[in-house]
Amino acid sequence: MTEAILLVGGKGTRLRPLTVHTPKPMVRAAGVPFLTHQLARARAAGVDHIVLATSYLAEVFEPHFGDGSSLGLHLEYVTEVEPLGTGGAIRNVAARLHSAPDEPVLVFNGDILTGLDIRALVRTHNTTGADVSLHLTKVTDPRAYGLVPTDETGRVLAFLEKPQTPEEIVTDQINAGAYVFRRSVIDAIPQGRPVSVERETFPELLSAGAHLQGMVDSTYWLDLGTPAAFVRGSADLVLGRAPSPAIPGRCGDRLILPTARVAPDAKLTDGTVVGEGAYIAEGARVSGSTILPGAVVEPGAVITDSLIGTRARVGERSILTGTVIGDGAIIGADNELRHGARVWCDAKIPAGAVRFSSDQ
C-alpha cells in the first residue's frame, strides 16, 4: 500500500467557534494543525501518496501543506462543489488514485485521533482477501455509535444503527473511521451524488455478499468532534498518551512553542500547550488547555480544560473551566465561565459580567 484518501471536508459545526475561520482538521492540536499528526502517522506506516478530499474552507489546506514534500509525501487536493457525504467524497477523488483494481487504498477521517496500527489493518486486509477492511474499536458505552458485530474470524456480520434499548446492544465494537478499500470497490460507488459509506455503501456490500473484514484495535481512540474532546486530544498528545511523530517538542506536562512567553511563576500542567507569540502572565494557572498563537492570559487567571483562540485575551483573575474562547475574543477581569460555555470570535465580555459565585 502506498496511497490513501483523507476525508477533510466537514464543516465541524459541533466545534464552533473553533471552526468559524478554520476547518476542523486545521485547528491546532499539540502545537500543529491536527491534520499534521494524521499525515505524519500515515507516512510512518508506509503511505507516500495522499489525496485530500476537501470542501469547507478548502482554500487553506494547500497553502499550508503544499505538495507534501516537507512531510515526505505527495499530496493532492480535490474539492467538492457540493457536499457528497463520506462515500461520495471517496468516489469523487478516485481519478487521482494510482492503484490497480485489486490493490488496497487506505481511507481515513480527518477528525479521529487514534493509535491504530495502520500496517496491521493493511495486513489483515491482504491476508483475508477482503473487499473492505474496517478498523473497529471497543467502547464502554456503545449507545452513541453504530455497532459492527463480527464472527470469530473477524468477518463483519451486520451494521446496526445506534441502539435504543439494552437488547439492541449486541456488541461493544464500533466503526472507528479508518478503512482499507479494494480499489475496484471505490470505483463502484455511485458518482456525482451524496453517498454515506456507513449507511449505504457498507450495508449494500454486505447484502450483496461482499467480504467486509473487521480488525479490532483498542489502542488510543478519540473522536474530536466536540470542543471538550479536541482539548483532551491535544493534551493527550502532549502527555504522550496518544502517539504522533509530529509533536514539535518533547512529550511532557506542557508544550511551549517558540516565541511564546510564560512568566516564571505561572503554572502549566496536564498537557497544556502555549502557541507561538502567546503570553501567560504572572500567577496564572493553566491545566489541560490549549492556548493558541497570540493569545494572552493575564495575571492570576485560572484556565482548566479549555481552549483560548488566536489573539484572544483572558482578563485578570478570570476562571475558565471547560470553555472555548473564539479567535480575538476578550474576556474581562473577574469573570467565571464553566463547562460548555462558548464565546464567539471577537466577542467582548466586560469585567465581572458573568459569574457563578459571589464577587465578594
Side-chain angles (χ1 to χ4, degrees):
M1 182 199 63
T2 60
E3 63 182 349
I5 298 170
L6 183 48
L7 304 175
V8 292
K11 291 185 175 180
T13 52
R14 290 186 297 159
L15 279 178
R16 288 169 69 86
L18 297 182
T19 51
V20 170
H21 302 130
T22 308
K24 178 165 52 175
M26 296 298 287
V27 178
R28 287 178 171 235
V32 296
F34 176 66
L35 181 54
T36 308
H37 298 291
Q38 293 188 301
L39 294 173
R41 293 199 72 245
R43 181 70 191 94
V47 176
D48 58 24
H49 176 219
I50 300 181
V51 185
L52 277 67
T54 68
S55 180
Y56 176 66
L57 296 176
E59 66 276 7
V60 309
F61 293 96
E62 190 167 2
H64 185 89
F65 292 106
D67 63 2
S69 56
S70 63
L71 295 170
L73 291 164
H74 173 215
L75 299 181
E76 295 188 68
Y77 306 84
V78 177
T79 301
E80 300 170 19
V81 178
E82 299 289 338
L84 295 171
T86 49
I90 293 167
R91 181 65 182 88
N92 191 50
V93 307
R96 301 294 185 93
L97 299 174
H98 306 149
S99 302
D102 283 335
E103 290 182 334
V105 178
L106 174 69
V107 177
F108 54 118
N109 284 284
D111 55 2
I112 301 293
L113 177 59
T114 175
L116 168 68
D117 186 339
I118 296 171
R119 291 182 186 271
L121 182 62
V122 177
R123 282 197 303 272
T124 296
H125 180 81
N126 290 333
T127 56
T128 61
D131 295 296
V132 181
S133 297
L134 297 85
H135 170 209
L136 308 180
T137 192
K138 294 178 180 288
V139 294
T140 304
D141 183 0
R143 288 175 299 176
Y145 304 95
L147 308 184
V148 187
T150 55
D151 67 15
E152 63 278 2
T153 70
R155 188 158 182 160
V156 174
L157 299 174
F159 291 91
L160 307 175
E161 287 299 313
K162 296 175 183 177
Q164 304 300 311
T165 65
E167 293 74 26
E168 292 177 305
I169 303 177
V170 298
T171 181
D172 58 356
Q173 296 175 176
I174 66 164
N175 179 352
Y179 320 111
V180 178
F181 277 75
R182 188 190 302 273
R183 164 64 193 273
S184 58
V185 174
I186 292 176
D187 291 334
I189 296 173
Q191 193 168 13
R193 68 169 176 85
V195 180
S196 165
V197 290
E198 300 85 358
R199 295 180 178 84
E200 182 177 342
T201 305
F202 292 160
E204 287 182 359
L205 284 168
L206 206 58
S207 63
H211 180 176
L212 278 71
Q213 185 72 21
M215 188 195 83
V216 177
D217 182 311
S218 293
T219 53
Y220 186 98
W221 184 86
L222 185 64
D223 178 350
L224 301 183
T226 66
F230 201 97
V231 170
R232 185 71 257 160
S234 176
D236 284 346
L237 282 161
V238 174
L239 291 166
R241 295 171 181 165
S244 171
I247 296 171
R250 296 173 61 183
C251 291
D253 219 27
R254 62 185 192 175
L255 177 63
I256 302 173
L257 276 293
T259 72
R261 294 179 298 137
V262 178
D265 66 342
K267 187 175 181 181
L268 309 179
T269 59
D270 197 24
T272 287
V273 183
V274 183
E276 296 92 338
Y279 176 56
I280 312 297
E282 297 80 7
R285 288 182 287 147
V286 187
S287 173
S289 298
T290 295
I291 312 300
L292 290 182
V296 174
V297 177
E298 295 185 357
V302 180
I303 299 173
T304 306
D305 299 337
S306 299
L307 188 145
I308 311 303
T310 302
R311 302 178 312 282
R313 178 178 290 266
V314 177
E316 296 182 65
R317 299 175 301 280
S318 283
I319 300 172
L320 278 58
T321 304
T323 64
V324 173
I325 308 302
D327 297 340
I330 297 175
I331 310 301
D334 299 306
N335 280 289
E336 289 181 70
L337 299 176
R338 292 189 178 176
H339 291 283
R342 306 185 190 206
V343 177
W344 239 246
C345 300
D346 300 314
K348 294 179 179 155
I349 297 181
V354 178
R355 298 194 62 84
F356 286 82
S357 63
S358 169
D359 64 344
Q360 300 297 316

